[in-house]
Amino acid sequence: MRKWILALTLLLPGMAFAAGGGIELLQANNDLRDKASLQAGAKLFVNYCMGCHSAQYVRFGRVGKDLGLTDKELRENLMFGAEKVGDMMTIAMDNKDSAKWFGVIPPDLSVISRARGVDWLYTYLLTFYLDPSRPMGVNNLVFKDVGMPHVMWERQGWQKPVYETVTDAGGKTHEVIKSVELIDKADEAKAEQYKKDVRDLVNFLDYIGEPAKLERLDLGWKVIGFLFIFLIFAILLKLEYWRDVH
Ligand code: HEC
């Protein structure tokens, strides 16, 4: 048993590394309890992502309730069409059209945070870089030859790849992309803000991946609170019993 646990702990970091395709993932450090961040993320999601991606297992009304929005705020901030509060977050784009435009169908993002992990999503959204050889003009550090355009480029500024020379086992040298950097240094302040935006967006994707997680976190604190109060009574009871013994 112990050997198994040891083997697993040794494997885990390797798996995280493999998921990034050899690139170390950036840390999202998102906080599901931060309602303001979730609200900002939801807004970015409907504005920038729902043109192509749905979240078909998520209901607008549920999001509004969990994020502490009134129906009016929900309608004004997150809903633009003729949707009703009880509707799912689906989109109008036809799969045939998207396959024609992008070569692939943009996947539903309801549970993408569970499939990819928050750090991968954070890194993905931060590492689009210019690549004229690609149909969309961009490529991505953790999703090679991605079919998605850099939809939030105006919020970040364009990036270019930074190369590194590596020597393979046969003694040959190759140029590989190590990281990305801003092309125009004047975009630095904007790019810093973009990191915060992406953290909010990833936070929202994390939340929709498992809406019950919010309740679970909340319940966890309540249980700890209960146990603490119980502990006080247990101590009082113990003192009471032992008074007679002494
Ligand atoms: C113009 C259409 C379009 C928009 C807008 C768009 N995407 Fe995409 N997205 C795509 C396409 C197409 C793919 C599939 C790429 C591929 O498989 O090569 C994709 C793939 C992805 C993936 C990878 C899914 C996987 O296979 O693991 C994620 C994550 C993602 N998009 C997130 C987002 C987020 C977050 C936004 C909003 C900021 C967004 N997308 C906006 C078209 C879009």
Side-chain angles (χ1 to χ4, degrees):
M1 182 70 188
R2 242 197 236 153
K3 258 193 213 148
W4 273 106
I5 294 175
L6 185 69
L8 268 179
T9 41
L10 288 177
L11 265 175
L12 279 177
M15 277 157 69
F17 194 62
I23 301 285
E24 231 172 294
L25 296 181
L26 305 167
Q27 310 259 302
N29 291 327
N30 59 309
D31 179 2
L32 281 173
R33 277 161 299 184
D34 185 345
K35 291 259 158 76
S37 158
L38 288 174
Q39 287 173 6
K43 212 166 177 175
L44 289 168
F45 183 76
V46 293
N47 280 299
Y48 285 95
C49 317
M50 272 185 80
C52 299
H53 296 277
S54 57
Q56 62 178 347
Y57 302 116
V58 185
R59 223 176 269 284
F60 280 106
R62 168 89 201 236
V63 171
K65 192 175 128 263
D66 286 347
L67 270 51
L69 299 169
T70 62
D71 278 3
K72 185 164 175 275
E73 285 168 331
L74 182 66
R75 262 195 220 99
E76 279 168 8
N77 290 292
L78 302 185
M79 299 166 65
F80 307 110
E83 303 120 329
K84 290 188 232 41
V85 170
D87 285 352
M88 299 301 206
M89 298 179 87
T90 48
I91 53 166
M93 193 163 70
D94 187 29
N95 277 350
K96 266 194 239 113
D97 286 339
S98 50
K100 197 165 63 202
W101 293 331
F102 308 112
V104 275
I105 297 164
D108 183 84
L109 295 182
S110 305
V111 290
I112 193 73
S113 65
R114 285 205 261 169
R116 292 291 202 177
V118 287
D119 290 346
W120 187 90
L121 287 172
Y122 182 70
T123 312
Y124 171 69
L125 292 167
L126 285 177
T127 59
F128 279 90
Y129 63 87
L130 284 181
D131 180 350
S133 74
R134 299 294 308 154
M136 295 290 156
V138 286
N139 213 323
N140 189 281
L141 216 53
V142 289
F143 194 142
K144 195 172 174 319
D145 296 346
V146 70
M148 170 171 144
H150 184 12
V151 291
M152 295 199 283
W153 70 270
E154 279 172 308
R155 296 180 88 99
Q156 182 181 37
W158 291 115
Q159 299 189 114
K160 63 173 193 233
V162 179
Y163 293 92
E164 180 186 41
T165 314
V166 291
T167 315
D168 65 18
K172 282 208 200 92
T173 56
H174 301 271
E175 293 272 287
V176 292
I177 296 175
K178 177 179 80 163
S179 57
V180 289
E181 67 180 15
L182 282 174
I183 292 175
D184 187 350
K185 292 277 170 267
D187 285 333
E188 248 159 38
K190 195 163 79 171
E192 275 308 305
Q193 177 58 42
Y194 177 68
K195 278 190 200 160
K196 295 200 186 90
D197 294 342
V198 169
R199 175 164 298 130
D200 293 341
L201 184 55
V202 170
N203 206 16
F204 179 71
L205 291 173
D206 191 14
Y207 150 71
I208 60 170
E210 196 188 344
K213 209 164 168 181
L214 279 183
E215 277 162 27
R216 220 171 55 210
L217 289 174
D218 209 36
L219 190 68
W221 284 112
K222 284 185 189 142
V223 170
I224 289 174
F226 169 77
L227 287 176
F228 187 72
I229 293 168
F230 181 77
L231 178 73
I232 295 173
F233 280 107
I235 291 172
L236 288 176
L237 203 63
K238 176 191 173 262
L239 291 177
E240 182 61 29
Y241 280 148
W242 280 87
R243 212 174 34 203
D244 296 339
V245 176
H246 285 308

